[in-house]
Coordinates of all heavy atoms in Angstrom, one line a residue:
P383 N 13.6 -38.1 31.1 CA 12.2 -38.3 31.3 C 11.8 -38.9 32.7 O 10.8 -38.6 33.3 CB 11.8 -39.2 30.2 CG 12.8 -38.9 29.1 CD 14.0 -38.6 29.8
K384 N 12.7 -39.9 33.1 CA 12.4 -40.5 34.4 C 12.5 -39.5 35.6 O 11.8 -39.5 36.5 CB 13.4 -41.6 34.6 CG 13.2 -42.4 35.9 CD 14.2 -43.6 36.0 CE 14.0 -44.3 37.3 NZ 15.0 -45.4 37.5
E385 N 13.5 -38.6 35.5 CA 13.7 -37.6 36.5 C 12.5 -36.6 36.5 O 12.1 -36.1 37.6 CB 15.0 -36.8 36.3 CG 16.2 -37.7 36.6 CD 17.5 -37.1 36.1 OE1 17.5 -36.2 35.3 OE2 18.6 -37.5 36.6
R386 N 12.0 -36.2 35.4 CA 10.9 -35.3 35.3 C 9.6 -35.9 36.0 O 8.9 -35.2 36.6 CB 10.6 -34.9 33.8 CG 11.7 -34.1 33.2 CD 11.2 -33.8 31.7 NE 12.4 -33.7 30.9 CZ 12.4 -33.8 29.6 NH1 11.3 -34.1 29.0 NH2 13.5 -33.7 28.9
D387 N 9.4 -37.2 35.7 CA 8.2 -37.8 36.2 C 8.4 -38.3 37.7 O 7.4 -38.5 38.4 CB 7.9 -39.0 35.4 CG 7.4 -38.6 34.0 OD1 7.0 -37.5 33.8 OD2 7.4 -39.4 33.1
N388 N 9.6 -38.3 38.2 CA 9.9 -38.8 39.6 C 11.0 -37.9 40.1 O 12.1 -38.3 40.4 CB 10.4 -40.2 39.6 CG 9.4 -41.2 39.0 OD1 8.4 -41.5 39.6 ND2 9.6 -41.5 37.7
P389 N 10.7 -36.6 40.4 CA 11.7 -35.7 40.9 C 12.3 -36.1 42.2 O 13.4 -35.6 42.6 CB 11.0 -34.3 41.0 CG 9.5 -34.6 41.0 CD 9.4 -35.9 40.2
D390 N 11.7 -37.0 43.0 CA 12.2 -37.4 44.3 C 13.6 -38.1 44.1 O 14.3 -38.2 45.1 CB 11.2 -38.3 45.0 CG 10.0 -37.6 45.4 OD1 10.0 -36.4 45.6 OD2 8.9 -38.2 45.6
I391 N 13.8 -38.6 42.9 CA 15.1 -39.4 42.8 C 16.3 -38.5 42.5 O 17.4 -38.9 42.4 CB 15.0 -40.4 41.6 CG1 14.9 -39.7 40.3 CG2 13.8 -41.4 41.8 CD1 14.9 -40.6 39.1
L392 N 16.0 -37.1 42.5 CA 17.1 -36.2 42.2 C 18.0 -36.0 43.4 O 17.7 -35.2 44.3 CB 16.5 -34.8 41.7 CG 15.8 -34.9 40.4 CD1 15.1 -33.5 40.1 CD2 16.8 -35.1 39.3
N393 N 19.1 -36.7 43.4 CA 20.1 -36.6 44.5 C 21.1 -35.5 44.0 O 21.0 -34.9 42.9 CB 20.8 -37.9 44.8 CG 21.3 -38.5 43.5 OD1 21.7 -37.8 42.6 ND2 21.5 -39.9 43.6
F394 N 22.1 -35.3 44.8 CA 23.1 -34.2 44.5 C 23.8 -34.5 43.2 O 24.0 -33.5 42.4 CB 24.1 -34.1 45.7 CG 25.1 -33.0 45.5 CD1 24.7 -31.6 45.6 CD2 26.4 -33.3 45.0 CE1 25.6 -30.6 45.4 CE2 27.3 -32.2 44.8 CZ 26.9 -30.9 45.0
S395 N 24.2 -35.7 43.0 CA 25.0 -35.9 41.7 C 24.1 -35.7 40.5 O 24.6 -35.2 39.5 CB 25.5 -37.4 41.7 OG 24.5 -38.3 41.8
R396 N 22.9 -36.1 40.6 CA 21.9 -35.8 39.4 C 21.8 -34.3 39.3 O 21.8 -33.8 38.1 CB 20.6 -36.5 39.7 CG 20.6 -38.0 39.5 CD 19.3 -38.6 39.8 NE 19.3 -40.0 39.8 CZ 18.9 -40.8 38.7 NH1 18.5 -40.1 37.6 NH2 18.9 -42.1 38.7
K397 N 21.6 -33.6 40.3 CA 21.4 -32.2 40.2 C 22.6 -31.5 39.7 O 22.5 -30.5 38.9 CB 21.0 -31.6 41.6 CG 19.7 -32.0 42.2 CD 19.5 -31.5 43.6 CE 18.2 -32.0 44.2 NZ 18.1 -31.5 45.6

Side-chain angles (χ1 to χ4, degrees):
K384 183 179 180 180
E385 289 169 341
R386 291 178 211 160
D387 291 340
N388 302 280
D390 290 338
I391 68 173
L392 290 174
N393 54 26
F394 181 75
S395 62
R396 287 177 183 265
K397 292 176 184 177

